[in-house]
Amino acid sequence: RANYKDLAYAGLRIDSSKEWTNFTQFSAYFRKGIEVVKAPFTVSYKEETNLFPEIAYALLTDKKIGAGKVIPKESVNIVDMNIATKFCQANHFFWDGMITNRVNLRDFIFEQGTYCLLDFTIVGGQFSLYPSVPFLKDYGIDHNALPEIKAMFTDGNIKDLQVNFLAPEDRQTFKANVLWRKEKLNGFAETKSIIYRLVGRDHDDDPVETYDFSGFCTSENHALNYIKYILSVREYTDHSINFKTAPHYVNGLKPGDYIRVFSTTNHTSRFNNGAILNDGTVVSKDTITGSKDFYYWNPSSEEVLEDRVNFSDSNAVKAYAGTLFTIKETEKTDQCYKVESITFGEDGLIDLSAS
């Protein structure tokens, strides 16, 4: 018989050849997968798993099925990976899938980790997965927790602050059509579909975005938790920032942590833009009242000007007829951000990006 090293193989024996004239397909139900090192990753004991942090650890460190020949075990943060494993176990985020094609390892772990509400980061040269959301002592999701602020930045310790607002299509609310797989033991699985949307919104014209989790998700609750998260992110995340700071201000800070930014730097709000028509009518997404500092531009002029006007006084507004404008923020802004990346810049400062 053939010997296929390190592979699982199956054979089919047919004794009655007269009753078999054609055989083109063969299906099998596998209850157990490849055996991998289990959390807390301190011993070499192996067992099959459907917890994605354990799968990711194997893909990173195993010399047969992963990148273990080029990535040493010391390059993986087993403390964070153990926490991520307990988080997935407690919330029933299971990954029951197959890897059938060649994939980019980092992209694969980043994408699939996100589906399990995990952040894939590289901190101090170590790969790790860590929960994206607050969790309780038993590792269940804490839906009532406030973000733990790890650092604060003000105009006194930041430089070159840049604000980038998301495009309108990236903030468009949507209805999520989720596909997941309902298992039948020793039988054929059934693909289920269900649509989720935000409560209290007019969704008649909202587009439908399809998320196909049928390749790995066997729980409707898993799909629901991810869609709740992604719908909230779409609703509340409206811009990102980038700035420079000194290395000692980011001591202990890592991607995935929350920071607070308190700044008087003037930047325009994407919602306080508009136009003043020839008759003095103000066209804007929100009603603008009271005296405001604003930038304005008239097509007949090559220069953007700055002034202050009482938008509640129609006669005063008529003086700027035929112009486009944007309100200038003059008050201090105090907002919470999630750190996306921390890198060293060429000038010796730290480049920090957050949303």
Side-chain angles (χ1 to χ4, degrees):
R1 62 185 177 87
N3 181 20
Y4 297 96
K5 186 178 180 181
D6 297 327
L7 291 176
Y9 58 93
L12 182 65
R13 179 175 178 178
I14 302 176
D15 294 326
S16 181
S17 60
K18 294 182 180 181
E19 296 181 7
W20 294 86
T21 58
N22 188 23
F23 188 81
T24 59
Q25 292 184 346
F26 177 73
S27 298
Y29 188 95
F30 291 88
R31 297 183 62 182
K32 298 181 179 181
I34 298 175
E35 293 182 347
V36 300
V37 175
K38 300 282 288 181
F41 312 109
T42 55
V43 294
S44 58
Y45 170 72
K46 290 186 176 183
E47 192 178 45
E48 64 279 348
T49 184
N50 59 358
L51 298 173
F52 187 72
E54 294 178 337
I55 296 171
Y57 181 83
L59 294 176
L60 289 168
T61 63
D62 195 287
K63 295 182 178 180
K64 287 185 179 179
I65 65 172
K69 293 182 179 180
V70 294
I71 300 178
K73 294 181 180 180
E74 293 75 19
S75 294
V76 180
N77 188 328
I78 62 174
V79 175
D80 286 355
M81 296 291 273
N82 187 40
I83 292 175
T85 302
K86 293 179 179 179
F87 175 81
C88 289
Q89 180 76 60
N91 295 286
H92 301 100
F93 293 163
F94 301 121
W95 202 91
D96 295 290
M98 298 181 295
I99 303 175
T100 57
N101 299 315
R102 293 173 64 92
V103 296
N104 181 290
L105 185 55
R106 292 189 184 187
D107 291 344
F108 176 79
I109 296 178
F110 174 81
E111 179 182 2
Q112 300 302 321
T114 300
Y115 295 151
C116 296
L117 299 189
L118 300 173
D119 288 330
F120 180 52
T121 60
I122 304 175
V123 180
Q126 287 189 313
F127 299 94
S128 71
L129 286 168
Y130 196 81
S132 303
V133 296
F135 53 89
L136 301 166
K137 291 183 178 180
D138 62 358
Y139 298 96
I141 296 176
D142 188 349
H143 296 279
N144 299 315
L146 294 175
E148 182 181 354
I149 306 300
K150 294 295 185 69
M152 185 178 74
F153 297 92
T154 69
D155 292 331
N157 63 351
I158 62 177
K159 176 185 177 184
D160 298 339
L161 175 64
Q162 298 179 8
V163 181
N164 300 301
F165 289 100
L166 299 181
E169 56 269 21
D170 293 330
R171 292 211 63 206
Q172 170 70 52
T173 56
F174 64 96
K175 291 176 284 190
N177 178 33
V178 188
L179 306 178
W180 59 283
R181 190 173 79 241
K182 185 176 181 180
E183 287 289 310
K184 181 180 180 182
L185 186 62
N186 294 325
F188 290 97
E190 180 182 1
T191 299
K192 293 286 188 178
S193 174
I194 190 167
I195 294 180
Y196 297 113
R197 61 180 177 84
L198 291 171
V199 175
R201 302 292 190 275
D202 183 7
H203 298 277
D204 293 339
D205 299 326
D206 283 353
V208 176
E209 295 186 12
T210 299
Y211 292 81
D212 189 356
F213 291 174
S214 60
F216 66 90
C217 179
T218 57
S219 166
E220 182 181 359
N221 181 66
H222 181 177
L224 174 59
N225 273 282
Y226 175 76
I227 291 304
K228 283 181 178 180
Y229 177 76
I230 205 67
L231 285 171
S232 297
V233 169
R234 179 68 66 89
E235 181 182 19
Y236 293 113
T237 303
D238 61 0
H239 71 278
S240 63
I241 60 173
N242 181 274
F243 60 83
K244 296 181 179 181
T245 188
H248 60 274
Y249 289 120
V250 297
N251 186 27
L253 195 66
K254 63 181 184 295
D257 287 342
Y258 291 92
I259 62 174
R260 192 168 292 283
V261 178
F262 194 75
S263 175
T264 57
T265 300
N266 293 332
H267 59 271
T268 56
S269 171
R270 66 192 295 268
F271 296 117
N272 286 337
N273 307 321
I276 301 176
L277 305 183
N278 291 329
D279 61 357
T281 301
V282 177
V283 179
S284 179
K285 178 181 181 294
D286 298 321
T287 302
I288 302 176
T289 59
S291 297
K292 303 288 184 182
D293 291 318
F294 71 109
Y295 299 105
Y296 68 96
W297 175 74
N298 192 302
S300 61
S301 172
E302 297 181 356
E303 184 180 3
V304 176
L305 302 175
E306 180 181 352
D307 208 344
R308 182 177 180 85
V309 69
N310 184 1
F311 279 85
S312 301
D313 186 347
S314 58
N315 292 326
V317 174
K318 283 184 180 180
Y320 304 94
T323 63
L324 299 175
F325 72 89
T326 183
I327 301 298
K328 176 181 175 183
E329 293 184 0
T330 56
E331 297 181 355
K332 298 177 180 178
T333 59
D334 175 19
Q335 295 183 332
C336 177
Y337 294 87
K338 185 175 183 179
V339 177
E340 303 290 346
S341 67
I342 303 175
T343 58
F344 270 104
E346 296 179 356
D347 53 3
L349 296 177
I350 300 295
D351 290 326
L352 190 147
S353 298
S355 62

